[in-house]
């Protein structure tokens, strides 16, 4: 809701202008009231819209928009170069996960060699990317990975991530906006961890799988998911610090069979 409010805030410039007179002070005279009047700057000031700060703001917006455009191109490239996993085994596994999550539809699963962490992607065409080493994983690990990633799609996390990126583009100069975006990303991961556990997965088993994925990523730091924020939600994201990972593991191990998270 905070991100949505920030996204709609610029629309206030289009609202009609309302001017309120100052209320008179207690026991004050009309003269003192007149002294409190604040002159309103004219909107016809031609230089106000082209100050150096406004120009810098627009330059920042264009730069981040270009960054996001490169991410869109990267996503399309991964779809074209990825290997579609559409055999009977993968379809049956995907259908099982979608049924357990009550997710309507079947997202396309791709294998891409440059990835380390599984990732959910796509707003209009949702899909899941898996690293090539997924072919060596057990069916148990594949199931919990798909539960986590399709859980993102069920919760429409890619839509809220896009909204967060829009707000970060508009308010790129404000550190609290970036902090809020990072916090929302972490909360999405906690929520999807809860989704996996609510499906019946043992907390200790899920924690081992998550740590194994994080360790696999740390062994190949050159394959970072760069230029993809707002497009991908990775299960073991590159920006996951040891402290964040530790908090996730603690949260997983403290799971006590709470009620299912609304999706």
């Amino acid at each position: 809701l905070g991100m949505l409010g920030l996204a709609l805030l610029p629309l206030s410039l289009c609202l009609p202008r309302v001017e309120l007179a100052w209320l008179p002070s207690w026991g004050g005279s009309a003269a003192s009231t007149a002294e409190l009047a604040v002159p309103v700057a004219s909107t016809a000031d031609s230089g106000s819209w082209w100050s150096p700060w406004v120009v810098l703001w627009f330059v920042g917006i264009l730069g981040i928009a270009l960054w996001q455009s490169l991410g869109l191109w990267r996503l399309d490239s991964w779809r074209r170069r990825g290997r579609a996993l559409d055999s009977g085994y993968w379809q049956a596994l995907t259908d099982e996960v979608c049924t357990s999550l009550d997710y309507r539809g079947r997202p396309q699963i791709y294998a891409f060699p440059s990835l380390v962490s599984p990732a959910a992607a796509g707003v209009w065409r949702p899909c899941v990317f898996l690293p090539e080493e997924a072919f060596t994983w057990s069916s148990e690990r594949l199931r919990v990975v798909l539960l986590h990633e399709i859980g993102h799609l069920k919760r429409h996390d890619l839509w809220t991530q896009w909204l967060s990126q829009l707000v970060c583009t508009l308010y790129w100069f404000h550190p609290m906006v970036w902090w809020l975006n990072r916090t929302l990303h972490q909360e999405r991961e906690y929520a999807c961890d809860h989704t996996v556990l609510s499906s019946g997965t043992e907390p200790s088993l899920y924690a081992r799988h998550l740590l194994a994925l994080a360790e696999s990523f740390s062994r190949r730091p050159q394959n970072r998911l760069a230029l993809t924020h707002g497009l991908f939600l990775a299960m073991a994201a590159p920006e996951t610090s040891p402290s964040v990972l530790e908090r996730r593991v603690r949260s997983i191990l403290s799971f006590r069979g709470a009620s299912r998270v609304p999706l």
Side-chain angles (χ1 to χ4, degrees):
L1 290 176
M3 284 294 190
L4 181 61
L6 289 173
L8 297 177
L9 185 60
L11 296 180
S12 63
L13 298 175
C14 304
L15 297 177
R17 187 183 185 92
V18 177
E19 297 184 7
L20 298 177
W22 285 93
L23 295 177
S25 59
W26 292 100
S29 61
S32 61
T33 303
E35 292 176 357
L36 293 174
V38 177
V40 179
S42 173
T43 57
D45 186 1
S46 59
S48 61
W49 287 100
W50 297 105
S51 67
W53 297 110
V54 174
V55 172
L56 179 62
W57 178 49
F58 278 108
V59 170
I61 290 177
L62 291 176
I64 298 179
L66 176 61
W67 180 59
Q68 294 294 335
S69 299
L70 291 175
L72 283 172
W73 172 83
R74 192 184 185 94
L75 172 59
D76 184 66
S77 173
W78 286 7
R79 289 183 188 274
R80 289 184 282 104
R81 296 164 53 196
R83 175 182 174 184
L85 304 179
D86 50 9
S87 64
Y89 170 78
W90 289 101
Q91 289 184 5
L93 182 60
T94 305
D95 288 341
E96 177 192 350
V97 171
C98 291
T99 300
S100 63
L101 294 176
D102 193 24
Y103 177 72
R104 297 181 180 179
R106 180 198 297 161
Q108 180 64 59
I109 312 297
Y110 294 95
F112 194 75
S114 297
L115 290 179
V116 175
S117 172
V123 173
W124 303 109
R125 291 188 298 162
C127 62
V128 173
F129 287 100
L130 298 176
E132 286 286 348
E133 63 187 54
F135 294 109
T136 65
W137 293 348
S138 64
S139 58
E140 185 179 72
R141 175 172 295 186
L142 287 173
R143 184 176 183 276
V144 298
V145 165
L146 290 180
L147 279 170
H148 183 98
E149 300 305 335
I150 297 179
H152 279 304
L153 303 179
K154 171 67 176 179
R155 288 169 36 84
H156 305 291
D157 283 340
L158 273 301
W159 286 93
T160 58
Q161 182 76 348
W162 268 105
L163 175 63
S164 298
Q165 290 302 307
L166 172 63
V167 173
C168 288
T169 302
L170 292 174
Y171 304 98
W172 59 266
F173 54 87
H174 204 306
M176 290 300 294
V177 172
W178 293 98
W179 173 84
L180 179 59
N181 178 64
R182 184 171 63 253
T183 302
L184 286 174
H185 180 80
Q186 295 173 3
E187 293 300 324
R188 294 185 193 103
E189 297 304 317
Y190 287 132
C192 284
D193 289 342
H194 192 119
T195 298
V196 175
L197 298 174
S198 298
S199 68
T201 305
E202 287 293 328
S204 58
L205 178 66
Y206 181 54
R208 286 199 297 270
H209 287 310
L210 179 61
L211 289 173
L213 289 171
E215 182 183 5
S216 174
F217 180 83
S218 64
R219 290 198 303 264
R220 300 167 61 186
Q222 71 278 10
N223 292 323
R224 292 179 177 270
L225 291 174
L227 301 176
T228 55
H229 293 290
L231 302 175
F232 290 81
L233 290 172
M235 186 174 180
E239 69 272 12
T240 302
S241 63
S243 60
V244 173
L245 184 61
E246 180 182 356
R247 287 196 295 270
R248 284 184 65 184
V249 172
R250 287 180 180 273
S251 176
I252 291 170
L253 295 178
S254 64
F255 180 79
R256 292 293 182 268
S259 59
R260 187 183 183 91
V261 173
L263 298 176

